[in-house]
Amino acid sequence: MPGALDLGDCIAHLRERVPDAIITNGAGNFSAWVHRFWRFHDYPSQLAPTSGAMGYGVPAAVTAKLVHPGRTVICFAGDGDFLMSGQELATAFQYDLPIVVLVVNNGMYGTIRMHQERSYPGRVVGTDLVNPDFAAYARAFGAHGETVTETSQFPDAIERALTAGRPALLELKIDPEGINPRTTLTQLRADSLR
Ligand SMILES: Cc1ncc(C[n+]2csc(CCOP(=O)(O)OP(=O)(O)O)c2C)c(N)n1
Ligand SMILES: [Mg+2]
């Protein structure tokens, strides 16, 4: 994966650290890494939308932690995905639910950009996002919030998030070139123009 933060490596670390976690996610290309690199061991341990609904992950994590307070609950969200329901951090804080939210930030609606480059290479419309500082946003709710820009920072950051004793959010800044686990934006565009 291009860039300093490799999502696959982060997930590989996480699956060793908390193999029995409940994993939730919404919709977006970020979820492709989760589904490629996470290993599900226990039932129930996956909450995800069969319909592909964005915004599902954070409220699902809140519910999972209410039902299974003794289990680690980790939500994977995209930046666009998270902005649809991220305010439910308030509910997590209100009910004292120490969930961990990982916001994969590529600054765009990556899935839609992927389809644009496949069908209309180079014609980018309405898929760039101007995002808030996600870690600061989390802290405004009383949650633990940090920004991670390199793979090497992830193990310590996830440790702090897992042991914060309150809701926690890590913003994982990935290179937008890494459009999915298989290819890059540049390659995708080149392939479509051929
Ligand atoms: C509620 C809802 N609105 C729109 C869509 C269409 N859609 C699917 S993925 C996606 C973009 C996801 O962006 P992001 O969460 O940033 O994830 P990325 O693909 O960039 O990893 C959109 C708009 C959807 N699935 N659900
Ligand atoms: Mg995105």
Side-chain angles (χ1 to χ4, degrees), residues 27-30 52-54 78-81 84 106 108-112 129:
N29 272 23
F30 67 92
M54 293 167 73
D79 46 342
D81 176 47
M84 293 196 175
N106 58 4
M108 62 181 169
Y109 288 134
T111 303
I112 310 304
L129 294 172

Side-chain angles (χ1 to χ4, degrees), residues 116-139:
Q116 285 177 340
E117 296 290 358
R118 272 185 188 156
S119 302
Y120 306 102
R123 292 172 59 188
V124 180
V125 179
T127 46
D128 288 342
L129 294 172
V130 176
N131 285 315
D133 176 338
F134 288 107
Y137 179 79
R139 289 196 294 271

Side-chain angles (χ1 to χ4, degrees), residues 11-32:
I11 295 172
H13 174 82
L14 204 54
R15 75 179 181 216
E16 300 297 324
R17 175 63 180 80
V18 282
D20 52 356
I22 294 175
I23 302 294
T24 79
N25 64 266
N29 272 23
F30 67 92
S31 69

